[in-house]
Amino acid sequence: MDTILSLYEAFKSLDYTTLSDPSVLWILYSMLFVILFLENGVLPAAFLPGDSLLFITGILISLDIFHFGLINVVLIAGGACGTWLGYIQGRWLGKTKMVQNWMGHLPTKYHQRAEVLFHKYGLAALFIGRFIPFVRTLLPMLAGLSGLKNIRFHIFNWLSATLWIFLITTAGYLFGLSPLFKAYEKQFMTLFMLIPVFLLVLGLIASLWVVLRRWAITKRAAAKQDKH
């Protein structure tokens, strides 16, 4: 807990010396790996702010906090391994009550987007779906449920993870080198630190609302059955 608080203070005060400390740096690497792994592979964690964290990571690369090659390898591994976990859930656990319940908690519009993309483009949909929050968590499950072969899935999985992560981190990196960012570095970093927190809170609220809404619908359905 103390380390997390020290990281927060370092970000808040833009203490790049602390953030560059090897003992702290590996904690950051590990945290980013875990966040991408969960966001790509576990439906209850689909609200985690993957895209904004990738952009911030790119900015931190431009500030010499992260090594461009190493952090991209870590992030790609996290995203691809998470997607593989989602595929396994679809293939082996897709019919279980637990996974069906997870899928039911996501808004219908994301189910529809994922199904349209998958049925129209097959595994190539992973390239498009990577850039759509929630959809990138659902697509691997649909691939698993369809019974697609493991080897083909792995090829598309790693290629799409590489493209998604490389493009967004590179965009953040280039923005971090821009004169605009240099002129308002503190203001931008404060804003970019707040965005993931805001998205996380918003995602939690939305998830809670969906759960409560489904509970209310189930309760009303049970009440109607009791009346009959």
Side-chain angles (χ1 to χ4, degrees), residues 16-29 65:
Y16 299 136
T17 303
T18 299
L19 293 174
S20 300
D21 186 297
S23 61
V24 172
L25 203 55
W26 281 108
I27 295 172
L28 287 174
Y29 276 66
I65 305 298

Side-chain angles (χ1 to χ4, degrees), residues 111-126 128-130 132 135 139:
H111 283 274
Q112 293 171 343
R113 285 182 193 173
E115 287 175 3
V116 168
L117 278 173
F118 183 72
H119 290 301
K120 189 173 182 179
Y121 301 106
L123 276 176
L126 283 175
I128 305 168
R130 285 283 185 188
I132 308 174
V135 172
L139 277 171

Side-chain angles (χ1 to χ4, degrees), residues 108 207-220:
T108 306
S207 299
L208 181 62
W209 180 81
V210 170
V211 170
L212 291 174
R213 186 168 175 266
R214 282 180 60 82
W215 175 78
I217 292 171
T218 304
K219 191 174 181 180
R220 281 200 297 268

Side-chain angles (χ1 to χ4, degrees), residues 23-131:
S23 61
V24 172
L25 203 55
W26 281 108
I27 295 172
L28 287 174
Y29 276 66
S30 302
M31 286 173 63
L32 288 170
F33 176 90
V34 170
I35 289 170
L36 283 196
F37 178 81
L38 293 175
E39 195 237 4
N40 282 268
V42 182
L43 281 175
F47 57 82
L48 291 172
D51 293 317
S52 59
L53 286 178
L54 290 178
F55 192 82
I56 292 170
T57 299
I59 293 174
L60 293 176
I61 294 170
S62 73
L63 296 170
D64 294 324
I65 305 298
F66 293 130
H67 182 276
F68 190 96
L70 181 58
I71 190 60
N72 271 278
V73 168
V74 170
L75 294 172
I76 290 167
C81 290
T83 299
W84 179 64
L85 176 64
Y87 169 79
I88 290 175
Q89 290 173 59
R91 187 155 189 178
W92 303 111
L93 303 173
K95 301 299 182 182
T96 62
K97 188 175 181 180
M98 179 184 72
V99 173
Q100 289 292 325
N101 195 36
W102 285 357
M103 294 181 75
H105 285 161
L106 285 183
T108 306
K109 63 179 180 180
Y110 295 116
H111 283 274
Q112 293 171 343
R113 285 182 193 173
E115 287 175 3
V116 168
L117 278 173
F118 183 72
H119 290 301
K120 189 173 182 179
Y121 301 106
L123 276 176
L126 283 175
F127 287 94
I128 305 168
R130 285 283 185 188
F131 295 88

